[in-house]
Amino acid sequence: MSAESGRSRLLVVYPSRGNRFYVHLAARLYQAASVLDIDTKLVSAADLDECDTSWIRGVTAFVVNPVECALSGRTVLSPLRKSGFRAAVLAECVETNWYRDQFVGGIGYEAVIDVGFVDQASRHQFPNMPYRFLFNAPLPLECDQIASMKPRYPRSLTWALVATQTTERVRFSHELLSALGPECFLFLPDVRPVRPGAGMLSPAALKRALEKTKFYVWRSHHNYPYYESFRFLDAVLAGSIPCKIDGGAIADSAGLPHTYHSVQALADEANERTGEDLFEEHREFALDRGTLVDHLRELLADV
């Protein structure tokens, strides 16, 4: 890592437009680096040109979702050409177009950092782009919060589904209504650019909803094997039970949180096991794999 007066420096750049969870990811990386006593700046892509160029020179730069950063302008990332090391930070299935599109054009990167629960190096299709995996563990404070939780069920809402609207997801919501009942939080906005006041859920608003919800349910927007680690953390940090519905691609993958082959499989298990028991299973997964600070320390020593 870059160092000035013996102290390491890290610049975390996040997209001011696009998916809000990438803004949240950047903030968590910033917090983890701060715990490591790294001189860290958190800057939106739109404001990067206002950053001190002398500070950028030679710095290690983490660019969170470069494609979405470029929504603020094609040249907004150009100041980073003076950085010492640039890494694209993603949290995507490596086989999707959303992942592959990150490496077309742009300013060039020395590595891609994949944030999630499973190392996808064997499926990374860019041999000239070094791949690094960062396990998406909770922050130390989040670990304390998860360890001290005593959630009780039932809650006022049985299930929640939060995703951009597609025909398939509308059908999915009808399945959930039939199997789990109408006591739900359903948020299916149209796909559109993220702007202030655009009617999208903030992380804080999502947390408030999940604190009233027993099951946080989702399904991937693709057919590749993948587990969305941020959905898991959002659920557990709110005392909600994460429920990935998967038709079989990852249901038997070792080392991942429990998934369900179908909505009916979730409904059947909900009738057989208590909510407290199901939450405890996910609490154990969250706390048994260190902290994001631990994993970031190892990653930075490598890059």
Side-chain angles (χ1 to χ4, degrees), residues 18-20 162-167 169-170 186-195 198-201 221:
N19 196 313
R20 285 186 181 273
V162 177
T164 52
Q165 186 176 146
T166 65
T167 300
R169 283 172 173 159
V170 172
L186 181 60
F187 187 71
L188 298 176
D190 294 331
V191 178
R192 59 187 184 273
V194 174
R195 296 185 177 90
M200 302 297 281
L201 279 184
H221 192 35

Side-chain angles (χ1 to χ4, degrees), residues 38-59:
I38 296 170
D39 184 8
T40 308
K41 291 186 185 297
L42 179 65
V43 180
S44 78
D47 297 329
L48 187 59
D49 61 348
E50 299 178 9
C51 192
D52 186 350
T53 55
S54 65
W55 198 89
I56 293 177
R57 188 174 296 111
V59 76

Side-chain angles (χ1 to χ4, degrees), residues 42-212:
L42 179 65
V43 180
S44 78
D47 297 329
L48 187 59
D49 61 348
E50 299 178 9
C51 192
D52 186 350
T53 55
S54 65
W55 198 89
I56 293 177
R57 188 174 296 111
V59 76
T60 295
F62 283 4
V63 183
V64 178
N65 197 321
V67 166
E68 291 194 355
C69 284
L71 292 174
S72 296
R74 295 194 313 176
T75 63
V76 292
L77 297 177
S78 58
L80 296 180
R81 297 185 189 279
K82 297 180 180 179
S83 62
F85 182 92
R86 293 181 296 276
V89 181
L90 301 170
E92 302 281 357
C93 172
V94 300
E95 294 168 282
T96 63
N97 289 334
W98 303 302
Y99 184 88
R100 292 192 294 268
D101 288 348
Q102 303 291 336
F103 308 106
V104 179
I107 60 173
Y109 298 92
E110 282 72 42
V112 57
I113 297 172
D114 176 27
V115 184
F117 282 167
V118 175
D119 190 322
Q120 302 182 90
S122 64
R123 292 180 283 138
H124 173 70
Q125 300 173 20
F126 298 87
N128 295 326
M129 175 69 67
Y131 172 97
R132 298 291 183 271
F133 174 64
L134 178 62
F135 186 84
N136 194 19
L139 290 161
L141 181 58
E142 292 172 336
C143 285
D144 293 340
Q145 293 171 348
I146 294 168
S148 63
M149 281 183 175
K150 297 179 180 178
R152 293 289 179 266
Y153 312 96
R155 290 180 160 190
S156 57
L157 300 174
T158 304
W159 59 274
L161 174 63
V162 177
T164 52
Q165 186 176 146
T166 65
T167 300
E168 190 279 332
R169 283 172 173 159
V170 172
R171 287 197 296 264
F172 184 38
S173 67
H174 283 289
E175 287 185 63
L176 291 165
L177 283 165
S178 297
L180 299 177
E183 295 80 16
C184 66
F185 179 80
L186 181 60
F187 187 71
L188 298 176
D190 294 331
V191 178
R192 59 187 184 273
V194 174
R195 296 185 177 90
M200 302 297 281
L201 279 184
S202 67
L206 175 62
K207 188 173 189 295
R208 287 194 296 271
L210 294 182
E211 285 173 342
K212 302 175 182 178

Side-chain angles (χ1 to χ4, degrees), residues 11 47 90 193 210 228 280 285:
L11 174 63
D47 297 329
L90 301 170
L210 294 182
E228 292 77 5
E280 195 60 37
F285 181 93

